[in-house]
Structures are given as structure tokens and as C-alpha cells.
């Protein structure tokens, strides 16, 4: 087991922002709209990138960076008291945990001058995941078994399955609906490589170095096989695969079925919700002698996942240091931009008729031209530099962990 913890958390607050904050956000959004860019703002301490647009009934959309949350805020309206929506992503939850997410919400809302009580919180989505290092697993959609629960609104039927993959190889199987109960099994290693989510290598390798969770199950799964360190290039074919099992609980399942809305209800009942999901939906080992799918035994992957989800779910976090992960992200972004700049300069050289052996001279000439452009319009170049610093404020330098 390489990682376990919450992957997404969304909640709404029954409160509206005050007139002072509204006026401030209105003025800043006008600037963002005029300049058509995200604007770095700060209000009583917390920093955000304010988007130049709203959406889905929310007037202001703010990004708190990897050490924060995404905030959607409505224009104050006495007839619509649920004026704030907060979403935490995988980096924050994997690095700091659920308790830090709750504390972060309360701290930032206090800075924004928003007053609310325990019953003014409504949790609308919670995804919990377990990443398991598995060798030689071939995902078979037909092995996903849904137990009968006729008449229950959280029922997941066999025809609710979606399959993704290519060239005869299944990369993910999804059962259910995100608005209710959803279970997904997918090749997380492939997704991390495809989407450049490099922080997961640090999180997984931190676990391999330090140990976490059900180590006996991990040893059984990897008997006789190497288990790290994990890299994007190592063992691409069959070994060192990382498969993620994710239990997703939407608003309907949380509120209507389990009566989960507030933090207290969430802490008290979410573990039972996960255990129920692991029983209603299973990844099984087919038994050729038994046509009754419900009697098929669990696949070892499912036993590991359910064992990890039966543990305390509240304070789980990877324990990996977020600052090296941010440094890697920054270095990769610089490398990507440099590659783009180099490609652009080569294109200009081609248009101007330079030969390959003359490229160093051409590049020097481009640098002189760029320097002249900066000197000719220092105010514009200074603003461009500051805008770039603001846009990448959350990865330019290491930050203290959220409080």
C-alpha cells in the first residue's frame, strides 16, 4: 500500500460575505476582467488568484494554490444563504490531511470576516482513495461485482459500469454515478505520467522508504519482486504498477442515504459509508465452478484496499515534505518554458534564413533584440514580470504548511 487518504473534498458554507469584502472583490475583479488575466489578491492575510470570470451562480472564483483550496463566492443575497463553496484537491489532502483542511477552512473564513456555526457546513462530495503497488494485474471489468440492494437509492447496478482503455488493455473501470455512489479502479501510474502529476512519485517513494499501513499485505503482493524506488521510466511493462481504488461519495449518498452534512456527522459516519461501499461493490476473483458472482471471493487487491479503508480515515496524510515537490514542479515548468522558447527561436531563425551552425549567433542576436525591447519599454516589461510572478506565486518559493 503506497498511499491512502482523501483525494477530493467539497463543502458549502451557509453564509454570505460582508459588504467590505464584496466591494474589494468587485473592484479587483474589474481589473482582472479588464486585463483578462488572473489577479493576485490578498485580504487580511490569505492570498488568492482571482479569476476574471465567475461561473455556476458564483460571482467570484479564487484559487488558493496547492497549500490552499479553490473558493467560489456568490454575490450576497438574503434569499440565498449558501454563499460560499470550498473545494480541496489531491495535493493538499494527500500532503496535509483532512484535519488540516477543516482548520484551513475555519482560519481563512475567519480572515474573510465570515461568521458561521457548526450546522452551517454542508459537505457535498468526498473521495477517498487507496494506491496499491501491484505486479502483473490485468484489470477485468467483468470481475467487478455489485451486490443486490433492490429498492435502495444508493444501488449500483451491473449496467452502471464504464470501461476505458486502448488496444485491448483496460486502464480503468468505473461503477456508479458521481452524484451518488461511485467506485473507480484505474492505473494511477499511467495517469501520473500522462498528466505530469509528479508529486505522486515523492508521496509513493516516501511510503516505500518509511512504511505505511498494512505492510504484511504489501509484502504478500510483492513477494519476490522489486518494490522501488518508483520512477516514470522504471518497469514500464508489468512490474511496479500502481493501481488506485477510489470510493466517491456525492451529495445524494452523503445526505439522503447516510445523513452526512456537517463535520461532526462526517467524522462519525464516513468510515461506515466506505465500509458499506466496499461490501456493495467488490473486485472479485472468478470461481469457474460457481456461476453465482456474489459468491466469488475478493481479489487480493480488494482485501488490501478494504483493510486500509477500515482504519481511521480522519488524519491520514502522506507525511512527505511538500517543498521538494514544489521545487520539482517549478523546475519542470522552467524546463518546459525553456523548451518552448528554444523552439520559437529556432522557428524565427528558419524564417530569417539562418543555417544550423549559425544558431548560436542567431540566438545571441535574439537576446540583444529582447534586451532592446525591454529597455525601450521598461514600464511594460516590469508589469509583465510582476504579472508572471503573481501568476506563479504559489510555486516560486517554498511556503510554510497551512495552519
Amino acid at each position: 500500500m503506497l498511499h491512502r487518504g482523501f483525494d477530493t473534498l467539497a463543502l458549502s458554507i451557509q453564509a454570505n460575505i460582508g459588504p467590505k469584502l464584496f466591494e474589494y472583490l468587485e473592484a479587483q475583479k474589474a481589473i482582472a476582467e479588464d486585463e483578462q488575466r488572473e489577479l493576485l489578491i490578498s485580504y487580511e492575510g490569505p492570498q488568492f488568484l482571482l479569476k476574471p470570470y465567475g461561473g455556476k451562480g458564483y460571482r467570484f472564483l479564487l484559487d488558493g494554490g496547492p497549500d490552499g483550496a479553490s473558493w467560489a463566492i456568490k454575490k450576497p443575497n438574503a434569499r440565498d444563504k449558501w454563499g460560499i463553496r470550498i473545494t480541496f484537491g489531491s495535493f493538499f489532502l494527500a500532503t496535509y490531511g483532512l484535519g488540516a483542511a477543516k482548520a484551513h477552512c475555519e482560519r481563512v473564513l475567519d480572515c474573510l470576516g465570515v461568521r458561521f456555526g457548526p450546522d452551517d457546513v454542508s459537505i457535498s462530495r468526498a473521495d477517498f482513495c487507496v494506491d496499491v503497488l501491484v505486479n502483473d494485474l490485468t484489470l477485468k471489468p467483468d470481475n467487478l461485482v455489485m451486490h443486490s440492494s433492490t429498492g435502495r437509492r444508493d444501488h449500483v447496478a451491473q449496467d452502471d459500469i464504464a470501461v476505458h482503455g486502448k488496444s485491448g488493455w483496460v486502464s480503468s473501470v468505473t461503477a456508479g454515478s458521481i452524484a451518488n455512489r461511485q467506485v473507480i479502479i484505474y492505473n494511477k501510474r499511467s495517469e501520473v505520467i500522462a498528466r505530469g502529476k509528479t508529486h505522486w512519485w515523492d508521496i509513493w517513494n516516501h511510503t516505500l522508504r518509511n512504511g505505511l499501513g498494512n505492510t504484511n499485505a504489501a509484502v504478500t503482493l510483492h513477494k519476490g519482486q522489486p518494490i522501488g524506488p518508483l520512477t516514470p521510466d522504471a518497469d514500464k511493462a508489468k512490474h511496479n504498477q500502481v493501481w488506485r481504488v477510489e470510493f466517491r461519495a456525492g451529495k445524494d449518498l452523503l445526505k439522503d442515504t447516510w445523513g452526512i452534512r456537517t463535520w461532526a456527522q462526517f467524522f462519525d459516519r464516513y468510515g461506515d459509508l466506505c465500509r458499506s461501499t466496499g461490501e456493495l461493490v467488490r473486485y472479485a476473483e472468478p470461481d469457474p465452478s460457481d456461476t453465482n458472482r456474489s459468491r466469488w471471493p475478493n481479489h487480493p487487491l480488494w482485501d488490501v484496499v478494504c483493510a486500509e479503508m477500515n482504519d481511521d480515515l480522519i488524519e491520514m496524510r502522506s507525511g512527505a515534505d511538500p517543498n521538494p515537490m514544489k521545487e520539482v514542479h517549478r523546475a519542470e515548468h522552467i524546463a518546459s518554458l525553456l523548451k518552448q522558447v528554444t523552439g520559437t527561436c529556432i522557428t524565427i531563425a528558419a524564417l530569417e534564413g539562418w543555417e544550423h551552425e549559425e544558431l548560436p549567433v542567431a540566438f545571441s542576436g535574439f537576446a540583444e533584440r529582447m534586451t532592446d525591447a525591454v529597455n525601450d519599454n521598461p514600464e511594460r516589461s516590469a508589469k509583465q514580470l510582476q504579472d508572471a510572478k503573481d501568476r506563479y506565486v504559489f510555486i516560486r518559493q517554498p511556503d510554510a504548511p497551512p495552519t
Side-chain angles (χ1 to χ4, degrees), residues 175-247:
S177 164
I178 190 57
N180 203 319
R181 184 195 306 276
Q182 190 173 70
V183 173
I184 179 169
I185 308 172
Y186 63 102
N187 191 310
K188 185 65 177 179
R189 186 178 188 279
S190 297
E191 191 225 20
V192 165
I193 294 172
R195 299 191 180 184
K197 298 180 178 180
T198 55
H199 59 273
W200 284 108
W201 304 112
D202 296 273
I203 291 172
W204 293 335
N205 286 317
H206 177 85
T207 303
L208 288 177
R209 288 191 302 269
N210 297 279
L212 178 67
N214 193 340
T215 54
N216 289 331
V219 170
T220 300
L221 284 172
H222 299 283
K223 187 176 182 181
Q225 298 287 356
I227 58 171
L230 298 174
T231 68
D233 301 320
D235 301 310
K236 292 181 179 179
K238 293 184 178 180
H239 300 313
N240 288 350
Q241 297 179 7
V242 180
W243 288 89
R244 168 167 290 189
V245 177
E246 194 167 320
F247 290 180

Side-chain angles (χ1 to χ4, degrees), residues 307-339:
E308 298 299 340
M309 288 192 177
N310 282 337
D311 204 344
D312 177 21
L313 307 183
I314 303 306
E315 290 303 329
M316 288 182 179
R317 64 188 188 95
S318 69
D321 186 348
N323 285 328
M325 291 186 267
K326 293 180 196 174
E327 181 61 29
V328 170
H329 184 194
R330 187 174 73 93
E332 289 180 341
H333 202 75
I334 290 172
S336 176
L337 291 172
L338 185 60
K339 184 178 180 181

Side-chain angles (χ1 to χ4, degrees), residues 11 105 127 151 270 315 344 370:
L11 61 147
C105 285
D127 301 350
Y270 188 78
E315 290 303 329
T344 300
M370 288 188 286

Side-chain angles (χ1 to χ4, degrees), residues 93-214:
L93 291 166
T95 307
Y96 303 114
L98 182 65
K102 179 177 182 293
H104 183 79
C105 285
E106 294 169 352
R107 181 184 68 84
V108 174
L109 287 168
D110 184 61
C111 292
L112 298 181
V114 176
R115 301 293 175 258
F116 66 102
D119 293 332
D120 296 323
V121 175
S122 179
I123 297 171
S124 56
R125 177 175 172 180
D127 301 350
F128 193 89
C129 65
V130 178
D131 295 340
V132 184
L133 188 60
V134 187
N135 290 329
D136 306 318
L137 173 67
T138 301
L139 190 61
K140 298 180 180 179
D142 290 341
N143 294 357
L144 202 63
V145 177
M146 271 65 76
H147 281 236
S148 175
S149 53
T150 305
R152 293 186 57 176
R153 71 179 70 192
D154 61 344
H155 170 55
V156 177
Q158 198 70 34
D159 57 4
D160 287 336
I161 294 179
V163 180
H164 297 279
K166 58 182 179 180
S167 303
W169 185 75
V170 176
S171 59
S172 74
V173 178
T174 304
S177 164
I178 190 57
N180 203 319
R181 184 195 306 276
Q182 190 173 70
V183 173
I184 179 169
I185 308 172
Y186 63 102
N187 191 310
K188 185 65 177 179
R189 186 178 188 279
S190 297
E191 191 225 20
V192 165
I193 294 172
R195 299 191 180 184
K197 298 180 178 180
T198 55
H199 59 273
W200 284 108
W201 304 112
D202 296 273
I203 291 172
W204 293 335
N205 286 317
H206 177 85
T207 303
L208 288 177
R209 288 191 302 269
N210 297 279
L212 178 67
N214 193 340

Side-chain angles (χ1 to χ4, degrees), residues 342 345-364 366 369:
T342 303
C345 287
I346 290 175
T347 302
I348 296 173
L351 292 172
E352 293 186 352
W354 294 88
E355 299 299 329
H356 181 264
E357 62 272 11
E358 297 174 317
L359 284 179
V361 178
F363 289 171
S364 295
F366 299 157
R369 281 190 251 174

Side-chain angles (χ1 to χ4, degrees), residues 12-28:
S12 296
I13 303 297
Q14 186 175 224
N16 281 305
I17 61 172
K20 180 181 176 182
L21 176 56
F22 175 73
E23 291 174 7
Y24 172 77
L25 292 176
E26 277 282 88
Q28 297 301 306

Side-chain angles (χ1 to χ4, degrees), residues 377-396:
N377 197 339
E379 291 184 0
R380 182 172 182 272
S381 58
K383 185 177 185 305
Q384 288 176 319
L385 178 61
Q386 188 58 52
D387 289 348
K389 287 182 177 181
D390 291 348
R391 188 163 58 253
Y392 297 108
V393 65
F394 297 120
I395 64 170
R396 279 197 296 118

